[in-house]
């Protein structure tokens, strides 16, 4: 069981996405519909007991030129007061499980070379450092 509920966002989840964007990006977006309705979008939020957003992870379904599909985890974040309680791990694994269930061959992401927290999380969940990028990680989800 994840430490908090992890909720995949649907095109109807304008308010949850809005709360996450305000919390983690500090911006106002007039209309979240183009993002939420895009078939490429994958977006998850972590909710506390009161239903408030305390974490998010979002990314993209992609076609690879080599003939398969993959997902990029573009951003993952947990609110400062909710870190080190397993929320980031729950978001990462839920994102990976969803990608695997959809049949994508790989999940990949970039992080910053100095982001020790993120790198420790990715490595503890089987992420393999990319041979191409110093701070990239990838997961094989289905046989090549
Ligand atoms: C990276 C981040 C998402 C981790 O979220 P979290 O909820 O604190 O992570 P978890 O509690 O699930 O921790 C899972 C594992 O990650 C590693 N980890 C998390 N925070 C860490 C830290 N500050 N230092 C070292 N390792 C850390 C540990 O291996 C941890 O397992 P453990 O608690 O059993 O030791 C969070 O620190 C964050 O939002 N950072 C700012 C945004 C960011 O940098 N995102 C990644 C961009 S690529």
């Amino acid at each position: 069981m994840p430490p908090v509920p992890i909720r995949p966002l649907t095109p109807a989840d304008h308010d949850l996405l809005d709360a996450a964007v305000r919390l983690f990006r500090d911006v106002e977006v007039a209309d979240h519909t183009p993002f939420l309705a895009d078939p490429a979008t994958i977006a998850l939020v972590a909710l506390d007991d009161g239903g408030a957003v305390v974490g998010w992870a979002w990314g993209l379904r992609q076609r690879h030129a080599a003939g398969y599909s993959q997902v990029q985890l573009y951003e993952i974040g947990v609110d400062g007061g909710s870190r080190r309680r397993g929320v980031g791990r729950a978001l990462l694994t839920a994102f990976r499980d969803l990608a695997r269930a959809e049949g994508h061959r790989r999940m990949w992401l970039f992080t910053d070379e100095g982001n020790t927290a993120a790198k420790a999380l990715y490595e503890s969940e089987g992420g393999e450092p990319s041979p191409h990028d110093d701070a990239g990680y990838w997961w094989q989800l289905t046989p090549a």
Side-chain angles (χ1 to χ4, degrees), residues 3 24 56 73-80 82-91 109-112 115-122 124:
F24 294 107
W56 76 338
L73 177 54
Y74 191 93
E75 182 165 359
I76 182 169
V78 175
D79 192 30
S82 296
R83 290 183 189 163
R84 296 311 297 260
R85 296 182 197 164
V87 177
R89 188 188 303 284
L91 283 162
L109 55 79
F110 285 126
T111 188
D112 297 316
N115 195 335
T116 51
K119 290 171 72 174
L121 169 60
Y122 305 146
S124 76

PDB file of all heavy atoms in Angstrom, residues 3 24 56 73-80 82-91 109-112 115-122 124, ligand 1:
ATOM      1  N   PRO A   3       1.925   5.088   0.924  1.00  0.00           N
ATOM      2  CA  PRO A   3       1.692   5.821   2.174  1.00  0.00           C
ATOM      3  C   PRO A   3       0.546   6.815   2.052  1.00  0.00           C
ATOM      4  O   PRO A   3      -0.046   7.213   3.062  1.00  0.00           O
ATOM      5  CB  PRO A   3       3.025   6.540   2.415  1.00  0.00           C
ATOM      6  CG  PRO A   3       3.666   6.618   1.070  1.00  0.00           C
ATOM      7  CD  PRO A   3       3.212   5.417   0.311  1.00  0.00           C
ATOM      8  N   PHE A  24       3.732  23.350  -7.305  1.00  0.00           N
ATOM      9  CA  PHE A  24       5.079  22.979  -7.744  1.00  0.00           C
ATOM     10  C   PHE A  24       5.664  23.910  -8.798  1.00  0.00           C
ATOM     11  O   PHE A  24       6.874  23.906  -9.016  1.00  0.00           O
ATOM     12  CB  PHE A  24       5.085  21.539  -8.256  1.00  0.00           C
ATOM     13  CG  PHE A  24       4.811  20.541  -7.171  1.00  0.00           C
ATOM     14  CD1 PHE A  24       3.597  19.882  -7.098  1.00  0.00           C
ATOM     15  CD2 PHE A  24       5.753  20.296  -6.188  1.00  0.00           C
ATOM     16  CE1 PHE A  24       3.326  18.978  -6.072  1.00  0.00           C
ATOM     17  CE2 PHE A  24       5.503  19.401  -5.165  1.00  0.00           C
ATOM     18  CZ  PHE A  24       4.289  18.742  -5.103  1.00  0.00           C
ATOM     19  N   TRP A  56       3.335  15.182  -7.105  1.00  0.00           N
ATOM     20  CA  TRP A  56       2.880  14.902  -8.470  1.00  0.00           C
ATOM     21  C   TRP A  56       3.985  14.273  -9.273  1.00  0.00           C
ATOM     22  O   TRP A  56       5.181  14.357  -8.911  1.00  0.00           O
ATOM     23  CB  TRP A  56       2.322  16.149  -9.159  1.00  0.00           C
ATOM     24  CG  TRP A  56       3.335  17.173  -9.649  1.00  0.00           C
ATOM     25  CD1 TRP A  56       4.629  17.345  -9.212  1.00  0.00           C
ATOM     26  CD2 TRP A  56       3.126  18.162 -10.657  1.00  0.00           C
ATOM     27  NE1 TRP A  56       5.206  18.393  -9.873  1.00  0.00           N
ATOM     28  CE2 TRP A  56       4.315  18.919 -10.772  1.00  0.00           C
ATOM     29  CE3 TRP A  56       2.053  18.511 -11.465  1.00  0.00           C
ATOM     30  CZ2 TRP A  56       4.455  19.974 -11.654  1.00  0.00           C
ATOM     31  CZ3 TRP A  56       2.200  19.565 -12.354  1.00  0.00           C
ATOM     32  CH2 TRP A  56       3.380  20.281 -12.448  1.00  0.00           C
ATOM     33  N   LEU A  73       9.295  10.263 -17.875  1.00  0.00           N
ATOM     34  CA  LEU A  73       8.849  10.916 -16.631  1.00  0.00           C
ATOM     35  C   LEU A  73       9.498  12.296 -16.631  1.00  0.00           C
ATOM     36  O   LEU A  73      10.700  12.428 -16.406  1.00  0.00           O
ATOM     37  CB  LEU A  73       9.273  10.094 -15.417  1.00  0.00           C
ATOM     38  CG  LEU A  73       8.948  10.689 -14.036  1.00  0.00           C
ATOM     39  CD1 LEU A  73       7.476  11.044 -13.910  1.00  0.00           C
ATOM     40  CD2 LEU A  73       9.348   9.731 -12.934  1.00  0.00           C
ATOM     41  N   TYR A  74       8.702  13.300 -16.918  1.00  0.00           N
ATOM     42  CA  TYR A  74       9.249  14.637 -17.118  1.00  0.00           C
ATOM     43  C   TYR A  74       9.506  15.340 -15.795  1.00  0.00           C
ATOM     44  O   TYR A  74      10.478  16.084 -15.659  1.00  0.00           O
ATOM     45  CB  TYR A  74       8.280  15.459 -17.972  1.00  0.00           C
ATOM     46  CG  TYR A  74       8.868  16.754 -18.455  1.00  0.00           C
ATOM     47  CD1 TYR A  74       9.500  16.825 -19.696  1.00  0.00           C
ATOM     48  CD2 TYR A  74       8.819  17.900 -17.676  1.00  0.00           C
ATOM     49  CE1 TYR A  74      10.059  18.007 -20.136  1.00  0.00           C
ATOM     50  CE2 TYR A  74       9.386  19.090 -18.113  1.00  0.00           C
ATOM     51  CZ  TYR A  74      10.007  19.135 -19.335  1.00  0.00           C
ATOM     52  OH  TYR A  74      10.571  20.306 -19.763  1.00  0.00           O
ATOM     53  N   GLU A  75       8.621  15.116 -14.819  1.00  0.00           N
ATOM     54  CA  GLU A  75       8.769  15.839 -13.547  1.00  0.00           C
ATOM     55  C   GLU A  75       8.147  15.019 -12.420  1.00  0.00           C
ATOM     56  O   GLU A  75       7.064  14.451 -12.581  1.00  0.00           O
ATOM     57  CB  GLU A  75       8.070  17.203 -13.644  1.00  0.00           C
ATOM     58  CG  GLU A  75       8.212  18.043 -12.387  1.00  0.00           C
ATOM     59  CD  GLU A  75       7.831  19.510 -12.620  1.00  0.00           C
ATOM     60  OE1 GLU A  75       7.477  19.869 -13.762  1.00  0.00           O
ATOM     61  OE2 GLU A  75       7.890  20.273 -11.642  1.00  0.00           O
ATOM     62  N   ILE A  76       8.837  14.983 -11.282  1.00  0.00           N
ATOM     63  CA  ILE A  76       8.295  14.367 -10.069  1.00  0.00           C
ATOM     64  C   ILE A  76       8.651  15.295  -8.915  1.00  0.00           C
ATOM     65  O   ILE A  76       9.764  15.833  -8.863  1.00  0.00           O
ATOM     66  CB  ILE A  76       8.846  12.937  -9.871  1.00  0.00           C
ATOM     67  CG1 ILE A  76       8.236  12.273  -8.615  1.00  0.00           C
ATOM     68  CG2 ILE A  76      10.352  12.894  -9.840  1.00  0.00           C
ATOM     69  CD1 ILE A  76       8.540  10.768  -8.515  1.00  0.00           C
ATOM     70  N   GLY A  77       7.720  15.514  -8.018  1.00  0.00           N
ATOM     71  CA  GLY A  77       7.985  16.399  -6.890  1.00  0.00           C
ATOM     72  C   GLY A  77       7.070  16.084  -5.720  1.00  0.00           C
ATOM     73  O   GLY A  77       5.932  15.646  -5.902  1.00  0.00           O
ATOM     74  N   VAL A  78       7.611  16.281  -4.531  1.00  0.00           N
ATOM     75  CA  VAL A  78       6.854  16.086  -3.290  1.00  0.00           C
ATOM     76  C   VAL A  78       6.993  17.362  -2.473  1.00  0.00           C
ATOM     77  O   VAL A  78       8.110  17.922  -2.353  1.00  0.00           O
ATOM     78  CB  VAL A  78       7.384  14.862  -2.506  1.00  0.00           C
ATOM     79  CG1 VAL A  78       6.674  14.724  -1.159  1.00  0.00           C
ATOM     80  CG2 VAL A  78       7.216  13.590  -3.337  1.00  0.00           C
ATOM     81  N   ASP A  79       5.899  17.824  -1.922  1.00  0.00           N
ATOM     82  CA  ASP A  79       5.912  19.046  -1.111  1.00  0.00           C
ATOM     83  C   ASP A  79       6.888  18.869   0.059  1.00  0.00           C
ATOM     84  O   ASP A  79       6.997  17.769   0.636  1.00  0.00           O
ATOM     85  CB  ASP A  79       4.486  19.291  -0.598  1.00  0.00           C
ATOM     86  CG  ASP A  79       4.344  20.682  -0.009  1.00  0.00           C
ATOM     87  OD1 ASP A  79       5.049  21.608  -0.442  1.00  0.00           O
ATOM     88  OD2 ASP A  79       3.512  20.833   0.913  1.00  0.00           O
ATOM     89  N   GLY A  80       7.575  19.973   0.407  1.00  0.00           N
ATOM     90  CA  GLY A  80       8.638  19.895   1.406  1.00  0.00           C
ATOM     91  C   GLY A  80       8.230  19.199   2.699  1.00  0.00           C
ATOM     92  O   GLY A  80       8.983  18.385   3.240  1.00  0.00           O
ATOM     93  N   SER A  82       6.181  16.882   3.197  1.00  0.00           N
ATOM     94  CA  SER A  82       5.737  15.485   3.036  1.00  0.00           C
ATOM     95  C   SER A  82       6.851  14.573   2.536  1.00  0.00           C
ATOM     96  O   SER A  82       6.601  13.411   2.182  1.00  0.00           O
ATOM     97  CB  SER A  82       4.561  15.426   2.049  1.00  0.00           C
ATOM     98  OG  SER A  82       3.452  16.126   2.559  1.00  0.00           O
ATOM     99  N   ARG A  83       8.088  15.088   2.512  1.00  0.00           N
ATOM    100  CA  ARG A  83       9.182  14.263   1.983  1.00  0.00           C
ATOM    101  C   ARG A  83       9.660  13.232   3.010  1.00  0.00           C
ATOM    102  O   ARG A  83       9.385  13.342   4.175  1.00  0.00           O
ATOM    103  CB  ARG A  83      10.353  15.175   1.559  1.00  0.00           C
ATOM    104  CG  ARG A  83       9.997  15.970   0.327  1.00  0.00           C
ATOM    105  CD  ARG A  83      11.151  16.824  -0.165  1.00  0.00           C
ATOM    106  NE  ARG A  83      10.646  17.725  -1.223  1.00  0.00           N
ATOM    107  CZ  ARG A  83      11.268  18.809  -1.645  1.00  0.00           C
ATOM    108  NH1 ARG A  83      12.449  19.135  -1.141  1.00  0.00           N
ATOM    109  NH2 ARG A  83      10.732  19.559  -2.588  1.00  0.00           N
ATOM    110  N   ARG A  84      10.384  12.265   2.495  1.00  0.00           N
ATOM    111  CA  ARG A  84      10.975  11.167   3.271  1.00  0.00           C
ATOM    112  C   ARG A  84       9.919  10.325   3.971  1.00  0.00           C
ATOM    113  O   ARG A  84      10.155   9.777   5.039  1.00  0.00           O
ATOM    114  CB  ARG A  84      12.001  11.663   4.293  1.00  0.00           C
ATOM    115  CG  ARG A  84      13.219  12.322   3.692  1.00  0.00           C
ATOM    116  CD  ARG A  84      13.898  11.567   2.567  1.00  0.00           C
ATOM    117  NE  ARG A  84      14.462  10.272   2.878  1.00  0.00           N
ATOM    118  CZ  ARG A  84      15.752  10.044   3.109  1.00  0.00           C
ATOM    119  NH1 ARG A  84      16.604  11.036   3.087  1.00  0.00           N
ATOM    120  NH2 ARG A  84      16.187   8.824   3.331  1.00  0.00           N
ATOM    121  N   ARG A  85       8.753  10.223   3.374  1.00  0.00           N
ATOM    122  CA  ARG A  85       7.700   9.342   3.897  1.00  0.00           C
ATOM    123  C   ARG A  85       7.254   8.336   2.844  1.00  0.00           C
ATOM    124  O   ARG A  85       6.190   7.743   2.981  1.00  0.00           O
ATOM    125  CB  ARG A  85       6.487  10.173   4.309  1.00  0.00           C
ATOM    126  CG  ARG A  85       6.765  11.118   5.452  1.00  0.00           C
ATOM    127  CD  ARG A  85       5.507  11.864   5.828  1.00  0.00           C
ATOM    128  NE  ARG A  85       5.827  13.031   6.622  1.00  0.00           N
ATOM    129  CZ  ARG A  85       4.998  14.039   6.840  1.00  0.00           C
ATOM    130  NH1 ARG A  85       3.767  14.002   6.331  1.00  0.00           N
ATOM    131  NH2 ARG A  85       5.351  15.063   7.573  1.00  0.00           N
ATOM    132  N   GLY A  86       7.999   8.226   1.773  1.00  0.00           N
ATOM    133  CA  GLY A  86       7.652   7.232   0.755  1.00  0.00           C
ATOM    134  C   GLY A  86       6.745   7.745  -0.345  1.00  0.00           C
ATOM    135  O   GLY A  86       6.346   6.972  -1.225  1.00  0.00           O
ATOM    136  N   VAL A  87       6.422   9.040  -0.325  1.00  0.00           N
ATOM    137  CA  VAL A  87       5.502   9.562  -1.342  1.00  0.00           C
ATOM    138  C   VAL A  87       6.167   9.572  -2.719  1.00  0.00           C
ATOM    139  O   VAL A  87       5.573   9.166  -3.727  1.00  0.00           O
ATOM    140  CB  VAL A  87       5.004  10.973  -0.963  1.00  0.00           C
ATOM    141  CG1 VAL A  87       4.103  11.538  -2.055  1.00  0.00           C
ATOM    142  CG2 VAL A  87       4.261  10.936   0.372  1.00  0.00           C
ATOM    143  N   GLY A  88       7.430  10.023  -2.774  1.00  0.00           N
ATOM    144  CA  GLY A  88       8.138  10.040  -4.051  1.00  0.00           C
ATOM    145  C   GLY A  88       8.264   8.630  -4.627  1.00  0.00           C
ATOM    146  O   GLY A  88       8.041   8.423  -5.821  1.00  0.00           O
ATOM    147  N   ARG A  89       8.592   7.684  -3.789  1.00  0.00           N
ATOM    148  CA  ARG A  89       8.699   6.300  -4.262  1.00  0.00           C
ATOM    149  C   ARG A  89       7.351   5.811  -4.785  1.00  0.00           C
ATOM    150  O   ARG A  89       7.273   5.144  -5.823  1.00  0.00           O
ATOM    151  CB  ARG A  89       9.190   5.393  -3.127  1.00  0.00           C
ATOM    152  CG  ARG A  89       9.519   3.975  -3.599  1.00  0.00           C
ATOM    153  CD  ARG A  89       9.814   3.033  -2.436  1.00  0.00           C
ATOM    154  NE  ARG A  89      10.898   3.461  -1.568  1.00  0.00           N
ATOM    155  CZ  ARG A  89      12.209   3.377  -1.866  1.00  0.00           C
ATOM    156  NH1 ARG A  89      12.581   2.884  -3.018  1.00  0.00           N
ATOM    157  NH2 ARG A  89      13.124   3.784  -1.013  1.00  0.00           N
ATOM    158  N   ALA A  90       6.277   6.140  -4.070  1.00  0.00           N
ATOM    159  CA  ALA A  90       4.936   5.699  -4.496  1.00  0.00           C
ATOM    160  C   ALA A  90       4.560   6.312  -5.844  1.00  0.00           C
ATOM    161  O   ALA A  90       3.975   5.638  -6.701  1.00  0.00           O
ATOM    162  CB  ALA A  90       3.907   6.074  -3.429  1.00  0.00           C
ATOM    163  N   LEU A  91       4.925   7.577  -6.057  1.00  0.00           N
ATOM    164  CA  LEU A  91       4.639   8.214  -7.346  1.00  0.00           C
ATOM    165  C   LEU A  91       5.448   7.564  -8.457  1.00  0.00           C
ATOM    166  O   LEU A  91       4.929   7.262  -9.537  1.00  0.00           O
ATOM    167  CB  LEU A  91       4.954   9.707  -7.263  1.00  0.00           C
ATOM    168  CG  LEU A  91       3.924  10.563  -6.529  1.00  0.00           C
ATOM    169  CD1 LEU A  91       4.546  11.909  -6.139  1.00  0.00           C
ATOM    170  CD2 LEU A  91       2.677  10.784  -7.380  1.00  0.00           C
ATOM    171  N   LEU A 109      14.098   9.229 -17.823  1.00  0.00           N
ATOM    172  CA  LEU A 109      14.008  10.589 -17.285  1.00  0.00           C
ATOM    173  C   LEU A 109      15.399  11.206 -17.229  1.00  0.00           C
ATOM    174  O   LEU A 109      16.412  10.524 -17.312  1.00  0.00           O
ATOM    175  CB  LEU A 109      13.373  10.571 -15.884  1.00  0.00           C
ATOM    176  CG  LEU A 109      14.020   9.670 -14.813  1.00  0.00           C
ATOM    177  CD1 LEU A 109      15.264  10.300 -14.204  1.00  0.00           C
ATOM    178  CD2 LEU A 109      13.024   9.361 -13.716  1.00  0.00           C
ATOM    179  N   PHE A 110      15.379  12.513 -17.087  1.00  0.00           N
ATOM    180  CA  PHE A 110      16.597  13.260 -16.787  1.00  0.00           C
ATOM    181  C   PHE A 110      16.501  13.801 -15.374  1.00  0.00           C
ATOM    182  O   PHE A 110      15.417  14.146 -14.905  1.00  0.00           O
ATOM    183  CB  PHE A 110      16.750  14.491 -17.696  1.00  0.00           C
ATOM    184  CG  PHE A 110      17.162  14.195 -19.093  1.00  0.00           C
ATOM    185  CD1 PHE A 110      16.407  14.671 -20.153  1.00  0.00           C
ATOM    186  CD2 PHE A 110      18.308  13.478 -19.367  1.00  0.00           C
ATOM    187  CE1 PHE A 110      16.777  14.425 -21.461  1.00  0.00           C
ATOM    188  CE2 PHE A 110      18.688  13.228 -20.672  1.00  0.00           C
ATOM    189  CZ  PHE A 110      17.920  13.702 -21.720  1.00  0.00           C
ATOM    190  N   THR A 111      17.618  13.911 -14.694  1.00  0.00           N
ATOM    191  CA  THR A 111      17.659  14.675 -13.460  1.00  0.00           C
ATOM    192  C   THR A 111      18.946  15.504 -13.475  1.00  0.00           C
ATOM    193  O   THR A 111      19.654  15.537 -14.479  1.00  0.00           O
ATOM    194  CB  THR A 111      17.566  13.771 -12.222  1.00  0.00           C
ATOM    195  OG1 THR A 111      17.424  14.599 -11.068  1.00  0.00           O
ATOM    196  CG2 THR A 111      18.778  12.884 -12.055  1.00  0.00           C
ATOM    197  N   ASP A 112      19.207  16.183 -12.384  1.00  0.00           N
ATOM    198  CA  ASP A 112      20.434  16.984 -12.306  1.00  0.00           C
ATOM    199  C   ASP A 112      21.518  16.149 -11.638  1.00  0.00           C
ATOM    200  O   ASP A 112      21.251  15.431 -10.667  1.00  0.00           O
ATOM    201  CB  ASP A 112      20.194  18.262 -11.501  1.00  0.00           C
ATOM    202  CG  ASP A 112      19.165  19.157 -12.180  1.00  0.00           C
ATOM    203  OD1 ASP A 112      19.264  19.318 -13.417  1.00  0.00           O
ATOM    204  OD2 ASP A 112      18.257  19.643 -11.500  1.00  0.00           O
ATOM    205  N   ASN A 115      21.516  16.145  -7.886  1.00  0.00           N
ATOM    206  CA  ASN A 115      20.271  15.869  -7.160  1.00  0.00           C
ATOM    207  C   ASN A 115      20.366  14.509  -6.474  1.00  0.00           C
ATOM    208  O   ASN A 115      19.868  13.496  -6.970  1.00  0.00           O
ATOM    209  CB  ASN A 115      19.074  15.934  -8.113  1.00  0.00           C
ATOM    210  CG  ASN A 115      17.758  16.021  -7.369  1.00  0.00           C
ATOM    211  OD1 ASN A 115      17.659  15.595  -6.217  1.00  0.00           O
ATOM    212  ND2 ASN A 115      16.742  16.562  -8.017  1.00  0.00           N
ATOM    213  N   THR A 116      21.008  14.509  -5.309  1.00  0.00           N
ATOM    214  CA  THR A 116      21.287  13.223  -4.644  1.00  0.00           C
ATOM    215  C   THR A 116      20.005  12.531  -4.205  1.00  0.00           C
ATOM    216  O   THR A 116      19.933  11.298  -4.245  1.00  0.00           O
ATOM    217  CB  THR A 116      22.203  13.441  -3.419  1.00  0.00           C
ATOM    218  OG1 THR A 116      21.647  14.468  -2.605  1.00  0.00           O
ATOM    219  CG2 THR A 116      23.593  13.822  -3.826  1.00  0.00           C
ATOM    220  N   ALA A 117      18.994  13.288  -3.781  1.00  0.00           N
ATOM    221  CA  ALA A 117      17.745  12.658  -3.346  1.00  0.00           C
ATOM    222  C   ALA A 117      17.087  11.936  -4.512  1.00  0.00           C
ATOM    223  O   ALA A 117      16.712  10.754  -4.409  1.00  0.00           O
ATOM    224  CB  ALA A 117      16.798  13.721  -2.768  1.00  0.00           C
ATOM    225  N   ALA A 118      16.960  12.625  -5.642  1.00  0.00           N
ATOM    226  CA  ALA A 118      16.305  12.007  -6.800  1.00  0.00           C
ATOM    227  C   ALA A 118      17.121  10.813  -7.303  1.00  0.00           C
ATOM    228  O   ALA A 118      16.560   9.747  -7.586  1.00  0.00           O
ATOM    229  CB  ALA A 118      16.132  13.048  -7.905  1.00  0.00           C
ATOM    230  N   LYS A 119      18.426  10.971  -7.381  1.00  0.00           N
ATOM    231  CA  LYS A 119      19.239   9.876  -7.891  1.00  0.00           C
ATOM    232  C   LYS A 119      19.170   8.655  -6.975  1.00  0.00           C
ATOM    233  O   LYS A 119      19.100   7.512  -7.449  1.00  0.00           O
ATOM    234  CB  LYS A 119      20.685  10.355  -8.071  1.00  0.00           C
ATOM    235  CG  LYS A 119      20.809  11.346  -9.229  1.00  0.00           C
ATOM    236  CD  LYS A 119      22.169  11.996  -9.303  1.00  0.00           C
ATOM    237  CE  LYS A 119      23.225  11.041  -9.762  1.00  0.00           C
ATOM    238  NZ  LYS A 119      24.518  11.760  -9.971  1.00  0.00           N
ATOM    239  N   ALA A 120      19.137   8.895  -5.656  1.00  0.00           N
ATOM    240  CA  ALA A 120      19.014   7.767  -4.722  1.00  0.00           C
ATOM    241  C   ALA A 120      17.672   7.068  -4.896  1.00  0.00           C
ATOM    242  O   ALA A 120      17.585   5.828  -4.856  1.00  0.00           O
ATOM    243  CB  ALA A 120      19.184   8.254  -3.282  1.00  0.00           C
ATOM    244  N   LEU A 121      16.625   7.865  -5.096  1.00  0.00           N
ATOM    245  CA  LEU A 121      15.304   7.261  -5.326  1.00  0.00           C
ATOM    246  C   LEU A 121      15.317   6.415  -6.596  1.00  0.00           C
ATOM    247  O   LEU A 121      14.891   5.247  -6.579  1.00  0.00           O
ATOM    248  CB  LEU A 121      14.257   8.378  -5.426  1.00  0.00           C
ATOM    249  CG  LEU A 121      12.871   7.968  -5.930  1.00  0.00           C
ATOM    250  CD1 LEU A 121      12.244   6.920  -5.013  1.00  0.00           C
ATOM    251  CD2 LEU A 121      11.956   9.194  -6.037  1.00  0.00           C
ATOM    252  N   TYR A 122      15.821   6.965  -7.694  1.00  0.00           N
ATOM    253  CA  TYR A 122      15.787   6.228  -8.963  1.00  0.00           C
ATOM    254  C   TYR A 122      16.633   4.954  -8.880  1.00  0.00           C
ATOM    255  O   TYR A 122      16.214   3.892  -9.349  1.00  0.00           O
ATOM    256  CB  TYR A 122      16.272   7.120 -10.105  1.00  0.00           C
ATOM    257  CG  TYR A 122      15.520   8.424 -10.229  1.00  0.00           C
ATOM    258  CD1 TYR A 122      16.141   9.586 -10.648  1.00  0.00           C
ATOM    259  CD2 TYR A 122      14.168   8.498  -9.887  1.00  0.00           C
ATOM    260  CE1 TYR A 122      15.449  10.781 -10.747  1.00  0.00           C
ATOM    261  CE2 TYR A 122      13.476   9.691  -9.972  1.00  0.00           C
ATOM    262  CZ  TYR A 122      14.119  10.832 -10.385  1.00  0.00           C
ATOM    263  OH  TYR A 122      13.436  12.009 -10.467  1.00  0.00           O
ATOM    264  N   SER A 124      17.367   3.263  -6.199  1.00  0.00           N
ATOM    265  CA  SER A 124      16.755   2.281  -5.281  1.00  0.00           C
ATOM    266  C   SER A 124      15.573   1.577  -5.921  1.00  0.00           C
ATOM    267  O   SER A 124      15.141   0.535  -5.438  1.00  0.00           O
ATOM    268  CB  SER A 124      16.314   2.972  -3.980  1.00  0.00           C
ATOM    269  OG  SER A 124      15.124   3.722  -4.173  1.00  0.00           O
TER     270      SER A 124
HETATM  271  C1  LIG B   1      13.185  13.534  -5.080  1.00  0.00           C
HETATM  272  C2  LIG B   1      11.870  13.583  -4.286  1.00  0.00           C
HETATM  273  C3  LIG B   1      10.706  13.497  -5.277  1.00  0.00           C
HETATM  274  C4  LIG B   1      11.825  12.374  -3.333  1.00  0.00           C
HETATM  275  O1  LIG B   1      10.550  12.372  -2.715  1.00  0.00           O
HETATM  276  P1  LIG B   1      10.325  11.745  -1.236  1.00  0.00           P
HETATM  277  O2  LIG B   1       8.869  11.566  -1.050  1.00  0.00           O
HETATM  278  O3  LIG B   1      11.056  12.543  -0.233  1.00  0.00           O
HETATM  279  O4  LIG B   1      11.053  10.331  -1.421  1.00  0.00           O
HETATM  280  P2  LIG B   1      10.763   8.992  -0.577  1.00  0.00           P
HETATM  281  O5  LIG B   1      10.418   9.316   0.832  1.00  0.00           O
HETATM  282  O6  LIG B   1       9.814   8.153  -1.338  1.00  0.00           O
HETATM  283  O7  LIG B   1      12.214   8.339  -0.591  1.00  0.00           O
HETATM  284  C5  LIG B   1      12.513   7.222  -1.378  1.00  0.00           C
HETATM  285  C6  LIG B   1      14.004   7.017  -1.400  1.00  0.00           C
HETATM  286  O8  LIG B   1      14.643   8.081  -2.102  1.00  0.00           O
HETATM  287  C7  LIG B   1      15.906   8.369  -1.470  1.00  0.00           C
HETATM  288  N1  LIG B   1      15.865   9.713  -0.913  1.00  0.00           N
HETATM  289  C8  LIG B   1      14.786  10.534  -0.812  1.00  0.00           C
HETATM  290  N2  LIG B   1      15.162  11.718  -0.301  1.00  0.00           N
HETATM  291  C9  LIG B   1      16.483  11.649  -0.065  1.00  0.00           C
HETATM  292  C10 LIG B   1      17.438  12.554   0.446  1.00  0.00           C
HETATM  293  N3  LIG B   1      17.086  13.798   0.845  1.00  0.00           N
HETATM  294  N4  LIG B   1      18.720  12.147   0.524  1.00  0.00           N
HETATM  295  C11 LIG B   1      19.092  10.918   0.138  1.00  0.00           C
HETATM  296  N5  LIG B   1      18.224   9.991  -0.353  1.00  0.00           N
HETATM  297  C12 LIG B   1      16.942  10.363  -0.461  1.00  0.00           C
HETATM  298  C13 LIG B   1      16.078   7.327  -0.402  1.00  0.00           C
HETATM  299  O9  LIG B   1      16.697   6.200  -1.000  1.00  0.00           O
HETATM  300  C14 LIG B   1      14.641   7.011  -0.047  1.00  0.00           C
HETATM  301  O10 LIG B   1      14.479   5.774   0.575  1.00  0.00           O
HETATM  302  P3  LIG B   1      14.559   5.653   2.181  1.00  0.00           P
HETATM  303  O11 LIG B   1      13.647   6.731   2.735  1.00  0.00           O
HETATM  304  O12 LIG B   1      14.055   4.270   2.446  1.00  0.00           O
HETATM  305  O13 LIG B   1      15.976   5.899   2.546  1.00  0.00           O
HETATM  306  C15 LIG B   1      11.780  14.872  -3.405  1.00  0.00           C
HETATM  307  O14 LIG B   1      12.982  15.006  -2.683  1.00  0.00           O
HETATM  308  C16 LIG B   1      11.519  16.158  -4.191  1.00  0.00           C
HETATM  309  O15 LIG B   1      10.373  16.505  -4.488  1.00  0.00           O
HETATM  310  N6  LIG B   1      12.600  16.883  -4.501  1.00  0.00           N
HETATM  311  C17 LIG B   1      12.445  18.179  -5.223  1.00  0.00           C
HETATM  312  C18 LIG B   1      12.017  17.969  -6.667  1.00  0.00           C
HETATM  313  C19 LIG B   1      13.009  17.111  -7.405  1.00  0.00           C
HETATM  314  O16 LIG B   1      14.217  17.271  -7.281  1.00  0.00           O
HETATM  315  N7  LIG B   1      12.470  16.182  -8.226  1.00  0.00           N
HETATM  316  C20 LIG B   1      13.269  15.311  -9.067  1.00  0.00           C
HETATM  317  C21 LIG B   1      13.635  16.024 -10.303  1.00  0.00           C
HETATM  318  S1  LIG B   1      14.350  14.897 -11.499  1.00  0.00           S
END
